[in-house]
Amino acid sequence: MRTDIRIAGFGGQGVLMCGIVIAKAASLFDKNYAVQTQSYGPEARGGASRTEVVVSDEQIDYPKVENPQIFVAMSHEALLKYIDDIKEGAILIIDPDLVYQDEIKDIIENKKLQVYHSKSTETAEQVIGKKIVGNIVMLGSFVEATGVISEESAKQSILDSVPKGTEELNLQAFEEGKKIVKKII
Amino acid sequence: MADKELFVQGNEACALGALAAGCTFFAGYPITPSTEIAEVMSRKLPEIGGHFIQMEDEIAAVGAIIGASWAGQKVVTATSGPGISLMQENIGYAVMTETPIVIINMQRGSPSTGQPTRSAQADMMQTRWGSHGDYETITLAPSSVQECFDYTIKAFNLAEKYRCPVFVMADEIVGHMREKITIPEKVEIIPRQMPEKTDNYLPFDAPENGTTPMPSFGQGYNIHVTGLTHDKRGYPSTDDEETHTQLVTRLCDKILKNTNEITSIETEFLDDAETIVLSYGIPSRSALTAVKQARQKGIKVGYIKLGVVWPFAEEELIELTKNAKRIIVPELNLGQIYLEVDRVLGKYAKVELLSKIGGALHTPTEILDKIMEE
Amino acid sequence: MADHEHKFMKYLRKERLPHIFCPGCGDGIVLNTIFNAIEMSEVDFENISMVSGIGCSSRIPGYVKCDSLHTTHGRALAFATGLKTANPKQDVIVVTGDGDATSIGGNHLIHAARRNIDLTVICINNDIYGMTGGQISPTSPQGSYATTAPYGSTDKPFNIAEVAKAAGATYVAKYTTAQPIQVSQAIKAGLENKGFSFIEVVAQCPTYYGRKNKIRSPVEMIHWLKDNTISLEQAKDMTEEELEGKIITGVYINKPRKEFVEALEDISTKISDIDPDTNINRAYRSE
């Protein structure tokens, strides 16, 4: 079974890192197959940025995502730019402080999306005290909402990916993310 | 040490492959989307007493690796788009002087500066004949991160065996894609051969269709290496028609006459296939998905992937496709290898191009639609 | 006859003679000074490798009985950078010309100088493109004639020695073929300097420069070189106008600093137990 995931935000939010941690968790630690790809423009900061992850229990041929079954949005601009081909019944996880849900009411209804909220940026800033770990808070919410990767593997993957000295902070962010995610629709 | 599993980018896998193949020297110039290769090499090479140099441009990068190759080291550079264009003159020099070098080309949208962060396969003719003159090269086209690792090692071995430049030609998607790779405990390496030192030593006295052991500088061979047409002693002989004919013919034939040794082809579902999707590099992954989907619909379609695009596996492809009526060639350009496929297989089957440019990969649906057209 | 063989004949590939240089060409004088310098220096001829680009002067290494790399136009320093870095035990001499080093290869020149890589570069500057038949070069004096400057050159020429010095070379000297002793001394100093050494030798090209500029014979050309030669010392007090067309000779700089490969290998030594020298000829090992 193949799961197609897309994570979108603006450059500098750690969207890419979030995708890498998921794919690494799936392939190295869950022993599934995973491919992570990305698409980006010339800007290192700002601008819409996205990463795609395919997780499967068999060899993955086509490495990109045609119709995402899971869409994580950390900015409104990126959401609008990349949501059109979302699969019917897909899971949509958004940071409600950065995405205006009202503006995508139609697509949510038409595509019968399951919508989750994760106030990841605010949580990172106010609970953890570091805005930069917003992506890992979102990762916690992703794991809790979708179960595509195991919690244990997600943690191992975080430890394997984050800079030395920030392990505790990131694990804490991950735990908070799990707690704050809410199913809205 | 057992086999090791890593989750890395295609670019990183190329660098790791180079190191596993015994590479100790890198010279290059930063360019998107290949820069990560230089970054990894700059970190890893000093750890093994190797050398990394960021040169002033890509012309110098190829010059430096050729120089280092003659000092007895295995060498590599990596580039893309405009960089591969700048390298061409010295690539021709490596061909003429039979210098083993490996060039990794992470293709991007082009011509000119084009699309630095998007994918394309539009350099594939340039890796064959981008430099002036008659010559043949070897070009490998990885489509996954594991293949980036494996093919880079293979590229080093082929460069030594045939004493020529070898290209690893991937693209932005493969270069930036991350997947798990397995690094085997032991990698098979073809070492360079030091020639026997005799009184009448002739450094370029090679057999027909072959090459000769390569000495290194500073070992007392006193050889002269020149890009001019040269005789068996390596001395310029620019007016003699026979010398030029023999040299250039041999440089081509040492590749062409060994095509079956060099090439590698992957196939699926060919037995009863009436339509075959023939591809190389990243579109082959879309192709395989589409072929599998078509099979589920009961369509007799097969899959061929060229691991090595140059030399072109002419004879083997004729054999593999002899029962096919249609051959579909998806390419991220406006039709390059398509011309070669049509030349070789067009007599026997209808060859159809499925071209795509702009930076995105063919989706399986696009290839499936093409399969279903008839 | 054998008794009278030239003392430097032993360094030449005799089987390649006669050479391609025109009668009266300055390249022969420079070749002589190179051998002379090697004999005067601590450097062992057996340890020398030569690299060159394209042009008349770049044909010199092909006549010398050592490992030699005759490369592409302008790129000799790039090739030499790889060759030297991958085996720093060799003494690498680069022979180049004014077009090769400063026109098509100008970028490589300034960067090799900036890096201070241990190469001894001998740049034979004849102010013209000889191999292609007498075209204008970046060092051709203003007003001089060439097949591509039929009305006289309008460009300001490079003083290559100044360029090399400004770019960071640690030894730079400039003389003419009329000063063979000084040239030999400068090449010797260059060979012994651990760093980027640049010796510019202004030379006569009677066939093209001479013919195009009405300096009819090699002898006349040597006189012309002598007449226009001044020392760095003399140049100090001269005005721009007075300096026009003058060949300013002497040692431009002799100021050693950390060498490129040494600096690279210092890093290796710091972070690794592997001696970089073990990678020389590593391509021949199968592990």
Side-chain angles (χ1 to χ4, degrees):
Chain A
M1 240 274 287
R2 173 180 164 125
T3 308
D4 285 15
I5 305 156
R6 179 177 298 156
I7 306 167
F10 49 80
Q13 267 182 324
V15 160
L16 195 64
M17 177 66 148
C18 190
I20 294 169
V21 174
I22 292 169
K24 195 191 273 187
S27 65
L28 282 188
F29 303 112
D30 280 342
K31 303 287 175 195
N32 274 320
Y33 292 90
V35 190
Q36 179 266 338
T37 57
Q38 56 209 303
S39 114
Y40 63 95
E43 58 278 82
R45 295 286 180 269
S49 139
R50 73 167 171 186
T51 177
E52 292 179 342
V53 179
V54 179
V55 177
S56 177
D57 54 3
E58 36 185 272
Q59 183 102 28
I60 297 161
D61 300 325
Y62 181 60
K64 292 269 186 181
V65 166
E66 261 190 294
N67 307 109
Q69 293 151 277
I70 300 170
F71 193 117
V72 180
M74 293 176 71
S75 94
H76 193 70
E77 182 202 348
L79 176 103
L80 291 185
K81 196 167 171 188
Y82 300 127
I83 200 164
D84 285 348
D85 54 4
I86 195 165
K87 203 177 175 79
E88 198 168 300
I91 292 176
L92 173 66
I93 308 172
I94 57 175
D95 183 333
D97 298 327
L98 299 173
V99 172
Y100 314 110
Q101 197 179 315
D102 287 352
E103 281 188 29
I104 50 162
K105 258 201 308 220
D106 291 354
I107 202 159
I108 291 173
E109 272 170 34
N110 293 342
K111 295 275 180 113
K112 303 185 178 64
L113 303 182
Q114 310 170 51
V115 181
Y116 289 78
H117 280 187
S118 167
K119 291 171 85 68
S120 53
T121 309
E122 188 193 273
T123 306
E125 230 167 356
Q126 295 183 3
V127 181
I128 315 291
K130 282 256 192 269
K131 197 176 172 183
I132 199 162
V133 295
N135 59 340
I136 302 297
V137 177
M138 187 53 98
L139 177 72
S141 302
F142 168 87
V143 171
E144 183 69 20
T146 68
V148 172
I149 53 171
S150 70
E151 197 183 316
E152 195 43 47
S153 296
K155 286 184 188 164
Q156 272 180 282
S157 182
I158 290 170
L159 294 177
D160 201 61
S161 309
V162 299
K164 277 207 164 39
T166 67
E167 293 93 338
E168 273 313 305
L169 194 73
N170 279 289
L171 286 180
Q172 197 193 338
F174 177 76
E175 293 295 344
E176 285 302 323
K178 275 174 55 199
K179 276 191 251 167
I180 61 166
V181 66
K182 282 196 199 93
K183 185 154 198 246
I184 305 297
I185 302 168
Chain B
M1 220 177 72
D3 294 355
K4 204 162 78 181
E5 285 187 340
L6 292 172
F7 184 78
V8 292
Q9 236 182 11
N11 278 335
E12 199 175 349
C14 284
L16 296 174
L19 294 165
C23 174
T24 46
F25 188 94
F26 180 104
Y29 188 81
I31 189 162
T32 305
S34 74
T35 306
E36 291 87 353
I37 300 173
E39 290 173 345
V40 173
M41 295 305 264
S42 72
R43 199 168 61 237
K44 300 262 185 192
L45 279 173
E47 292 174 4
I48 58 163
H51 295 95
F52 168 91
I53 311 179
Q54 181 169 319
M55 294 302 290
E56 50 273 23
D57 57 32
E58 288 90 345
I59 302 170
V62 179
I65 63 171
I66 294 172
S69 190
W70 281 101
Q73 300 210 24
K74 291 195 179 179
V75 301
V76 69
T77 189
T79 191
S80 181
I84 201 80
S85 292
L86 282 174
M87 290 180 175
Q88 293 298 339
E89 190 198 6
N90 283 342
I91 289 169
Y93 181 87
V95 168
M96 195 61 153
T97 55
E98 299 182 70
T99 310
I101 58 170
V102 175
I103 301 136
I104 301 168
N105 179 16
M106 288 295 165
Q107 296 170 96
R108 62 190 229 180
S110 49
S112 192
T113 319
Q115 298 172 289
T117 60
R118 303 307 300 269
S119 171
Q121 290 183 300
D123 304 353
M124 73 104 42
M125 280 296 172
Q126 201 189 19
T127 61
R128 185 182 200 181
W129 283 329
S131 196
H132 51 283
D134 280 314
Y135 67 96
E136 297 293 333
T137 57
I138 300 175
T139 302
L140 292 73
S143 63
S144 69
V145 179
Q146 182 71 51
E147 283 178 356
C148 282
F149 180 81
D150 296 342
Y151 285 17
T152 303
I153 295 171
K154 190 176 172 185
F156 274 89
N157 285 341
L158 289 168
E160 292 301 331
K161 192 166 174 189
Y162 297 99
R163 280 189 62 182
C164 64
V166 177
F167 293 92
V168 177
M169 181 185 70
D171 68 288
E172 186 278 328
I173 297 173
V174 174
H176 282 156
M177 176 198 289
R178 286 180 178 81
E179 285 180 300
K180 181 171 76 180
I181 61 165
T182 305
I183 296 189
E185 191 184 330
K186 206 172 154 40
V187 167
E188 199 199 327
I189 287 174
I190 297 183
R192 197 171 293 177
Q193 300 298 315
M194 192 72 88
E196 225 180 295
K197 216 182 281 180
T198 58
D199 287 344
N200 299 311
Y201 172 62
L202 294 170
F204 292 93
D205 187 15
E208 214 181 318
N209 309 336
T211 187
T212 173
M214 174 178 165
S216 84
F217 275 38
Q219 310 303 308
Y221 287 86
N222 293 339
I223 57 161
H224 183 56
V225 178
T226 178
L228 290 169
T229 294
H230 46 273
D231 60 20
K232 289 172 178 176
R233 297 171 299 177
Y235 295 168
S237 169
T238 57
D239 285 335
D240 187 55
E241 292 167 22
E242 184 65 19
T243 306
H244 185 80
T245 307
Q246 269 183 14
L247 174 63
V248 176
T249 307
R250 180 175 64 77
L251 293 180
C252 290
D253 282 352
K254 72 177 180 182
I255 312 276
L256 291 178
K257 301 272 161 119
N258 292 300
T259 298
N260 292 338
E261 294 277 306
I262 297 166
T263 54
S264 70
I265 293 179
E266 281 174 32
T267 63
E268 298 260 9
F269 315 112
L270 285 192
D271 288 348
D272 60 348
E274 290 169 358
T275 298
I276 291 172
V277 183
L278 191 159
S279 59
Y280 61 95
I282 190 69
S284 63
R285 296 181 66 157
S286 310
L288 187 54
T289 304
V291 167
K292 285 177 180 170
Q293 288 169 355
R295 278 278 162 184
Q296 279 173 358
K297 294 177 193 285
I299 301 165
K300 288 179 177 167
V301 56
Y303 163 88
I304 293 179
K305 182 195 138 182
L306 305 177
V308 175
V309 291
W310 306 123
F312 193 66
E314 213 165 311
E315 286 168 22
E316 203 182 346
L317 286 174
I318 291 172
E319 182 60 28
L320 286 171
T321 60
K322 63 181 180 213
N323 297 322
K325 296 192 180 79
R326 260 179 100 200
I327 293 168
I328 298 168
V329 184
E331 262 189 300
L332 296 176
N333 58 48
L334 293 177
Q336 297 198 9
I337 210 171
Y338 160 74
L339 297 171
E340 191 70 350
V341 177
D342 194 43
R343 179 183 70 80
V344 173
L345 305 176
K347 305 187 264 280
Y348 315 108
K350 194 174 159 215
V351 180
E352 295 172 39
L353 171 68
L354 180 57
S355 102
K356 183 161 184 172
I357 62 170
L361 177 58
H362 300 84
T363 63
T365 310
E366 285 165 349
I367 297 176
L368 185 62
D369 287 349
K370 183 78 181 170
I371 294 171
M372 309 274 285
E373 252 175 31
E374 274 196 10
Chain C
M1 280 300 281
D3 295 342
H4 302 292
E5 191 176 272
H6 193 280
K7 64 170 180 166
F8 293 151
M9 196 59 102
K10 60 179 185 281
Y11 299 133
L12 292 171
R13 299 178 190 273
K14 282 183 223 169
E15 67 274 24
R16 285 212 63 208
L17 300 175
H19 54 66
I20 62 159
F21 306 124
C22 303
C25 172
D27 287 353
I29 297 172
V30 180
L31 182 55
N32 194 303
T33 61
I34 292 172
F35 292 142
N36 202 19
I38 291 169
E39 288 201 345
M40 289 191 303
S41 77
E42 298 154 4
V43 167
D44 183 0
F45 178 79
E46 300 296 313
N47 200 44
I48 282 174
S49 292
M50 291 180 105
V51 183
S52 63
I54 296 294
C56 296
S57 53
S58 287
R59 291 297 188 98
I60 283 181
Y63 296 109
V64 181
K65 208 152 81 186
C66 67
D67 289 319
S68 50
L69 200 56
H70 178 225
T71 71
T72 48
H73 195 18
R75 319 300 173 198
L77 287 169
F79 285 74
T81 297
L83 184 69
K84 176 71 185 183
T85 307
N87 182 356
K89 292 183 170 180
Q90 309 162 86
D91 292 303
V92 179
I93 296 177
V94 177
V95 184
T96 179
D98 43 316
D100 197 52
T102 71
S103 189
I104 190 167
N107 197 29
H108 309 305
L109 172 63
I110 59 173
H111 286 278
R114 173 181 67 84
R115 292 186 185 104
N116 193 33
I117 183 164
D118 185 16
L119 302 171
T120 303
V121 183
I122 296 149
C123 177
I124 305 177
N125 173 11
N126 58 9
D127 293 340
I128 204 156
Y129 282 72
M131 193 118 246
T132 46
Q135 294 75 37
I136 209 76
S137 113
T139 58
S140 304
Q142 234 160 350
S144 69
Y145 294 92
T147 61
T148 49
Y151 308 108
S153 169
T154 52
D155 298 352
K156 180 180 164 66
F158 269 141
N159 178 352
I160 317 179
E162 277 300 349
V163 173
K165 180 187 169 188
T170 45
Y171 179 85
V172 178
K174 175 173 184 162
Y175 294 103
T176 74
T177 46
Q179 298 161 296
I181 308 290
Q182 289 90 329
V183 173
S184 294
Q185 292 290 353
I187 296 173
K188 172 184 181 288
L191 285 168
E192 288 169 359
N193 170 43
K194 183 139 184 78
F196 191 81
S197 307
F198 190 87
I199 297 98
E200 178 186 349
V201 189
V202 182
Q204 72 280 15
C205 172
T207 304
Y208 291 111
Y209 193 89
R211 199 151 50 94
K212 279 280 159 195
N213 292 284
K214 312 267 185 294
I215 314 172
R216 304 267 174 210
S217 72
V219 175
E220 218 181 309
M221 282 213 79
I222 294 278
H223 284 304
W224 169 74
L225 291 178
K226 280 184 172 173
D227 292 345
N228 286 296
T229 295
I230 55 166
S231 68
L232 279 162
E233 202 52 43
Q234 289 168 312
K236 266 187 197 160
D237 304 319
M238 289 167 73
T239 63
E240 276 293 309
E241 290 74 40
E242 289 170 331
L243 284 171
E244 207 169 297
K246 292 284 179 283
I247 304 162
I248 307 164
T249 59
V251 176
Y252 280 61
I253 189 170
N254 185 5
K255 196 175 169 193
R257 63 181 165 93
K258 187 74 176 180
E259 195 271 335
F260 173 71
V261 184
E262 266 186 5
L264 276 188
E265 295 188 351
D266 280 355
I267 293 175
S268 258
T269 314
K270 217 178 282 173
I271 64 169
S272 163
D273 297 331
I274 303 170
D275 178 357
D277 283 351
T278 58
N279 286 323
I280 300 170
N281 289 330
R282 193 165 183 271
Y284 298 88
R285 303 211 307 255
S286 55
E287 80 278 14

